[in-house]
Amino acid sequence: MEQNKERRREQPPEISNEAQPVHGGHRDRVKNRFLKDGLDAFEPHAVLELLLFYAIPLKDTNPIGHALLQKFGSLSGVFDAPYGELMKVEGVGKSAAMLIKLIPQLCRRYQENLDKDKNVIFSYNEAGMLLTRKFIGRSDEVIVLMLLDSKNRLIYCGVVNEGTVATANIYIKKIVRLAVEYNAAYAILSHNHPSGDCLPSKQDLSSTQWVYEALNIVEVKLIDHIIVSGNDYFSIAKSGIMPGIFDVGFDTE
C-alpha cells in the first residue's frame, strides 16, 4: 500500500485535453484592463501583446510585441510591415502575421463604412481627408477616383487601378466609363506614394493632363489630383502649379 502511494506521488499531474494558455491570469488582467479603459492607456508593445493573444494561445506574447517594435520601429511600422518580414520575428507564425496584416485593412473598411453617408464635398481639404482614408493599409500604389454631381454630392469613390499613374492607358478608359455611367459633373483623381513624400513627379503631372483631356471629351471637369503618402496629402489644384487645368474647383479655404 505504501509503495502504491509513493508511485502516485511520483507521477506527474494529468494534463487536460484543453491546453491552458501560459500566464492565463495575466492575460485575463490585460483583457479586463482593455474592457475597462480601452487601448488609450496601453503602451505600443501592450497593444501588440493583447492582439497576439488571439493568434498565439500558448506563449507569452509580451516579448514578441517588444521584438516587433524593435524591428519595425513603431506600431504603424509593425502593421505596415510585409507579411514575410513579420514571419522573420521569433515567435511570429503564419496566423500571427496574418492577424497583424488584417488590422490596417480592417481599419480602412471600418472608416469607409463610416464615410459612406458623407454626401457633399465642400473643399479640397475635405476631399483630401476622405481620400487619405482610402489608402490605409495599402503597401502598393493604387489609383482612386472620386466623382461628384453638379451639387458636389459624392456619387462614387473607389479604386480604379492597382499600379502606378504611368500606366495611364490602362485606367483612363475606366475613369471615363465610370464618369459617364454615374453622370458625373466633376472628378477628383488620387493616388498614393507608399514609400515617398506627397510631392508630384513629372509623370504625375503628365498623367493629370491626360486624365483631364479624356474627361473633358465627355464634359466632366477634373477639379483636383490628390497625392497621398501616409497621413499627408498634396492637392495639385490647391497648390496652383497647373492653373491651366484646374480653373474650376472648390473655393480655397
Side-chain angles (χ1 to χ4, degrees):
M1 291 288 292
E2 291 298 324
Q3 289 179 343
N4 290 338
K5 288 180 180 178
E6 192 65 30
R7 290 195 189 99
R8 282 197 294 270
R9 281 197 295 270
E10 291 173 354
Q11 289 175 349
E14 287 188 13
I15 298 175
S16 167
N17 289 332
E18 295 182 3
Q20 296 299 313
V22 175
H23 306 300
H26 171 69
R27 289 191 171 204
D28 287 341
R29 288 191 293 274
V30 173
K31 292 175 183 177
N32 289 334
R33 180 186 170 201
F34 166 71
L35 292 174
K36 180 182 177 183
D37 301 322
L39 281 181
D40 290 344
F42 277 58
E43 293 294 323
H45 74 271
V47 174
L48 294 170
E49 177 187 11
L50 173 59
L51 176 66
L52 292 173
F53 286 173
Y54 301 97
I56 307 173
L58 300 177
K59 288 184 180 179
D60 182 3
T61 58
N62 184 285
I64 301 174
H66 280 288
L68 285 164
L69 288 169
Q70 185 174 5
K71 181 173 177 64
F72 300 111
S74 66
L75 200 57
S76 59
V78 172
F79 290 125
D80 289 338
Y83 176 83
E85 291 300 310
L86 290 168
M87 294 275 288
K88 293 179 182 178
V89 176
E90 185 175 356
V92 176
K94 292 181 180 179
S95 295
M98 182 70 71
L99 181 60
I100 290 170
K101 294 307 298 177
L102 173 67
I103 297 303
Q105 298 199 33
L106 183 63
C107 291
R108 185 180 72 243
R109 292 293 297 272
Y110 170 75
Q111 189 62 60
E112 287 175 350
N113 188 254
L114 289 179
D115 291 336
K116 68 181 176 61
D117 294 326
K118 176 69 177 176
N119 293 321
V120 184
I121 306 297
F122 290 107
S123 68
Y124 293 114
N125 285 343
E126 278 193 339
M129 287 187 289
L130 185 62
L131 284 164
T132 298
R133 297 165 188 161
K134 301 292 287 186
F135 298 98
I136 295 173
R138 299 190 190 277
S139 57
D140 297 321
E141 192 165 322
V142 298
I143 298 165
V144 172
L145 176 68
M146 177 184 286
L147 296 175
L148 309 173
D149 67 10
S150 59
K151 296 183 179 180
N152 285 4
R153 290 177 298 196
L154 180 64
I155 52 179
Y156 175 84
C157 188
V159 174
V160 294
N161 190 60
E162 296 188 11
T164 69
V165 291
T167 55
N169 58 316
I170 295 176
Y171 64 84
I172 285 183
K173 288 181 180 179
K174 185 174 182 180
I175 287 175
V176 172
R177 177 176 60 78
L178 286 167
V180 172
E181 181 180 334
Y182 281 88
N183 195 28
Y186 306 111
I188 298 175
L189 184 66
S190 182
H191 78 282
N192 59 328
H193 287 175
S195 58
D197 59 32
C198 303
L199 294 178
S201 66
K202 290 182 179 179
Q203 184 62 59
D204 294 336
L205 300 180
S206 296
S207 298
T208 304
Q209 179 78 38
W210 298 335
V211 173
Y212 168 81
E213 291 174 356
L215 286 172
N216 200 43
I217 293 172
V218 294
E219 299 182 338
V220 176
K221 289 289 186 181
L222 181 68
I223 58 175
D224 204 354
H225 183 173
I226 293 174
I227 302 169
V228 175
S229 181
N231 291 324
D232 297 326
Y233 64 88
F234 182 91
S235 164
I236 293 179
K238 191 175 179 182
S239 73
I241 61 176
M242 298 186 77
I245 299 294
F246 298 117
D247 55 350
V248 175
F250 304 111
D251 293 330
T252 55
E253 303 91 74

